[in-house]
Each structure stands twice: as C-alpha cells, then as structure tokens.
Amino acid sequence: MHTTALVLFSGGQDSATCLAQALDKYERVETIAFDYGQRHRIELDARVQVLHALREQFPAWALKLGDDHLLDLSVLGQVSETSLTRDMEFRMEQSGLPNTFVPGRNLLFLTLAAALAYRRGLEVIVTGVCETDFSGYPDCRDDTMKAMQLALSLGMNRRFLVETPLMWIDKAATWALAERLGGHALVNLIVEHTHTCYLGDRDHRHEWGYGCGTCPACELRLRGWQRWRSGLATPLP
Ligand code: ZN
C-alpha cells in the first residue's frame, strides 16, 4: 500500500488535477518542477499560485502537502530548439511532431523526479501525461511510462510506481475529475490559477481560464471545457 507521492507539477490544468488526486489518495505529497528556460515564466508563477490557493482552500490537503522542489534544468534549453524555449511560431515539423516537442524532456523529468523521490523516501511518481488527447508526444505514451518505471526501479534498486491518472481520459473528463475531487471550489481554482496557453497569455480571461484562446493548448482546454459543460465527458473509471 503506497502512502507517499511526488507529483510532477508544472502549474497547468492537468498536473494540478493530478496533484489534487494525489492529495486525496496519499498521506504525504511533495511537488517538483523544472526551470528549463521556458519562454513564459508565467507557468512557474502559476504553480506558486495554485499551491498557495490549495493550502488556503483545502485545509485537509494542506496537512498532507509537503515541500515543493524547483530544479534548474537550463541544460535542456541548451540542447533543444523548440517553440517552448525559443521565440518561434508553433508549427508541425516534418517528423509529424509539433515543434513544441522537447526531445527527452519527460524522460529527464522522470529520471530527476525518481532521484529526488529516492532521497525523500517517496514511493509514487505522479505525472499528468495523456495518450487520449494525443498531441503526438512519444514521451507521453503509456508504453514509455511503463518502460521508465521499470528502468528507474531497476537502476535505483527501489520499486517506484509511475502513476498516470490522466492517461486514458480526455480533457472533458479531466474537468470532471477535478469536480469529483474538490467540487466547484477546485474547478474554480484551476480556472483561475493554472496556466496552459502556449503564448503565455494572461490578459484574456475566458470561462475556462486565461489564454489567447487560439493556440493548440487553449483550443484543447476550451474544447474539453465545452464538452464537460455539455455533459459529454467520457465517464471516469
Ligand atoms: Zn493560447
């Protein structure tokens, strides 16, 4: 029976929902994120706001929420040229992958998260990767996660569980999951404080949160919101 978890928490809708689920499920939860020269520091600011709001509005969760870790991973910005780290337009590459794909990113994140989890005595590593709203990222695949769980567990001689609560649900169901975990208060917190927009837009406030409204990340979030509000979310497991 696992009781402790480390959540990869970027400050977006998905990882905030994963964090809420971990707080619901486990007795001690810590959070980790990486500063790799993201074009928009807004994501890193958003996560501080979300953590603060969670502590304030959910006292039972506040008791379980432990340290937050922000690791410097600027080396990732040095090796990759993508629209997330450089000032480039979003587009699809010849490979069929969007240029927001940072090769090796999730693999590095998980490796560093496991190293930290090892030191902190945390058993479960939670990440919000998802195959359902597949953006084509090969490092978000279920097979990749299972392979990482095995490699990390063997390589560190510690049985880690890599947990992916959103793997098989769509964005509409992610909103539904937030509602189930923390009611309207949690949905409102996610709308107000999380950040998903690729362009880092915090000037335009929509019903579903802040963002430009037209980039792929905003479109996905908007479509999920609309489907959830229309009662079209796929049933939660
Ligand atoms: Zn946007």
Side-chain angles (χ1 to χ4, degrees):
M1 188 66 178
H2 299 102
T3 58
T4 58
L6 178 64
V7 180
L8 277 83
F9 175 56
S10 69
Q13 177 191 349
D14 291 348
S15 64
T17 308
C18 288
L19 175 56
Q21 200 201 37
L23 287 166
D24 188 58
K25 196 169 167 183
Y26 299 115
E27 285 165 23
R28 182 163 65 92
V29 176
E30 299 190 8
T31 45
I32 185 171
F34 304 94
D35 184 350
Y36 55 95
Q38 290 94 322
R39 258 169 71 184
H40 306 295
R41 314 287 306 168
I42 282 164
E43 282 176 47
L44 296 177
D45 297 339
R47 58 193 303 286
V48 176
Q49 298 299 325
V50 172
L51 288 173
H52 179 73
L54 277 173
R55 282 184 210 280
E56 220 164 48
Q57 295 177 38
F58 296 89
W61 289 350
L63 294 172
K64 302 171 167 189
L65 185 54
D67 288 1
D68 178 43
H69 311 270
L70 182 63
L71 267 62
D72 177 12
L73 203 52
S74 47
V75 65
L76 194 56
Q78 290 169 32
V79 297
S80 70
E81 187 156 322
T82 78
S83 72
L84 290 191
T85 50
R86 302 278 169 83
D87 202 11
M88 290 161 68
E89 284 283 299
F90 176 86
R91 62 182 158 75
M92 295 303 283
E93 301 280 9
Q94 293 240 310
S95 59
L97 290 173
N99 65 341
T100 45
F101 175 59
V102 182
R105 178 173 55 171
N106 274 341
L107 308 181
L108 268 176
F109 285 3
L110 281 169
T111 303
L112 291 167
L116 187 86
Y118 184 100
R119 184 164 60 79
R120 306 284 301 170
L122 303 165
E123 305 156 303
V124 183
I125 299 164
V126 184
T127 168
V129 292
C130 172
E131 259 197 42
T132 310
D133 289 315
F134 195 42
S135 19
Y137 296 149
D139 58 350
C140 292
R141 285 191 291 223
D142 193 47
D143 282 351
T144 309
M145 292 301 116
K146 290 196 163 80
M148 286 303 287
Q149 175 176 286
L150 186 62
L152 295 169
S153 296
L154 285 173
M156 297 191 200
N157 199 29
R158 178 80 59 93
R159 247 179 202 280
F160 291 115
L161 177 68
V162 174
E163 191 172 78
T164 56
L166 310 184
M167 184 60 80
W168 306 114
I169 68 174
D170 60 16
K171 273 277 191 291
T174 304
W175 286 113
L177 177 58
E179 188 186 30
R180 184 167 84 183
L181 290 164
H184 289 304
L186 184 61
V187 171
N188 292 340
L189 187 158
I190 289 172
V191 165
E192 194 58 37
H193 296 298
T194 66
H195 185 83
T196 314
C197 175
Y198 281 149
L199 303 182
D201 186 328
R202 293 296 287 179
D203 297 328
H204 300 93
R205 170 68 153 81
H206 314 266
E207 209 187 355
W208 45 269
Y210 290 90
C212 71
T214 52
C215 77
C218 281
E219 267 182 18
L220 202 58
R221 182 160 163 156
L222 162 65
R223 274 206 309 273
W225 175 269
Q226 287 172 335
R227 284 175 55 81
W228 171 60
R229 298 286 280 189
S230 323
L232 294 172
T234 50
L236 290 169

